[in-house]
Amino acid sequence: NNLLFKGLKEDKDESEESLEAAIESWLQSYIGLESDFDPVRVHRIGRPKQGITRDVVVGFQHYRQKDEIWKKRGTLKGKNSPIMMDQHFALETTQDRRVLSLYQVALRANNVKSFLKVNSLVVNGKEYRNNPRDLQELDTKFATELGSFSYKENGEVIGFYGRFNEFSNHYQ
């Protein structure tokens, strides 16, 4: 039940309350939040580093409120907001999405419609997950589309799966 906010300027003296007020103000201004904003917790991720703005995680007690805000994200288009909103996932899910998003980029570059759904990639109505069997199936079914992303190693053509399987193993 969390949302992630990226790009909210960090104040040296900010408190959880001031951070919550800043998020609430942004939600009212940019997505037209009308209901009461009642998060369980609002906090930044990680330790402060000079020159780096940390993301903000907002936890909601009720899924309904999180979902109401998430569904209104389309109203951000064209508003040139300094803050981006995304769903906050568990580490394992985030790692899966990183790998699957590489496939999504390759497929979309070749006009194959696809979208990420939590920890799976949906292509032509079928869900693929970040596991060797599904990634191999993606390689086989979409060899032509993914072929432009293959490369040679020691004179042998290594397909998309071989290249990015190393990537996915890096995050496991």
Side-chain angles (χ1 to χ4, degrees):
N1 279 346
N2 297 336
L3 289 176
L4 187 68
F5 294 84
K6 302 174 183 189
L8 181 65
K9 289 185 180 176
E10 197 163 348
D11 182 14
K12 197 176 194 180
D13 301 321
E14 76 186 7
S15 64
E16 188 172 327
E17 291 79 19
S18 66
L19 198 53
E20 182 178 323
I23 293 286
E24 182 174 18
S25 173
W26 180 84
L27 288 170
Q28 290 170 345
S29 298
Y30 282 90
I31 68 165
L33 180 69
E34 296 170 0
S35 62
D36 290 336
F37 181 64
D38 188 27
V40 174
R41 183 161 186 228
V42 178
H43 64 94
R44 292 203 181 260
I45 300 176
R47 293 188 176 145
K49 291 181 185 172
Q50 191 171 6
I52 296 176
T53 301
R54 297 176 295 159
D55 296 343
V56 177
V57 175
V58 177
F60 296 90
Q61 183 171 353
H62 302 287
Y63 178 79
R64 227 178 249 142
Q65 185 176 32
K66 178 230 169 192
D67 198 43
E68 174 192 346
I69 291 169
W70 181 244
K71 285 180 178 177
K72 289 184 175 184
R73 72 189 181 281
T75 62
L76 290 171
K77 290 183 181 178
K79 289 191 176 176
N80 201 20
S81 169
I83 299 172
M84 288 178 43
M85 180 173 60
D86 203 352
Q87 294 192 63
H88 184 247
F89 296 108
L91 180 61
E92 185 178 277
T93 301
T94 301
Q95 291 167 345
D96 287 346
R97 288 174 65 88
R98 264 190 206 135
V99 173
L100 294 170
S101 69
L102 295 171
Y103 280 86
Q104 182 183 24
V105 167
L107 291 168
R108 283 188 170 182
N110 287 284
N111 298 318
V112 176
K113 291 184 180 179
S114 61
F115 63 91
L116 290 172
K117 180 180 171 185
V118 186
N119 64 344
S120 62
L121 175 65
V122 179
V123 184
N124 297 334
K126 182 168 182 340
E127 288 189 33
Y128 298 92
R129 295 187 182 269
N130 182 24
N131 63 53
R133 184 182 55 95
D134 282 4
L135 297 180
Q136 186 64 52
E137 185 179 333
L138 267 171
D139 265 357
T140 304
K141 280 189 172 178
F142 300 99
T144 304
E145 291 84 353
L146 298 173
S148 61
F149 289 83
S150 65
Y151 69 104
K152 289 187 178 184
E153 191 172 279
N154 300 327
E156 183 182 343
V157 174
I158 306 295
F160 190 83
Y161 173 75
R163 180 177 184 183
F164 289 105
N165 191 37
E166 292 171 18
F167 176 84
S168 66
N169 287 339
H170 175 72
Y171 287 98
Q172 292 178 2

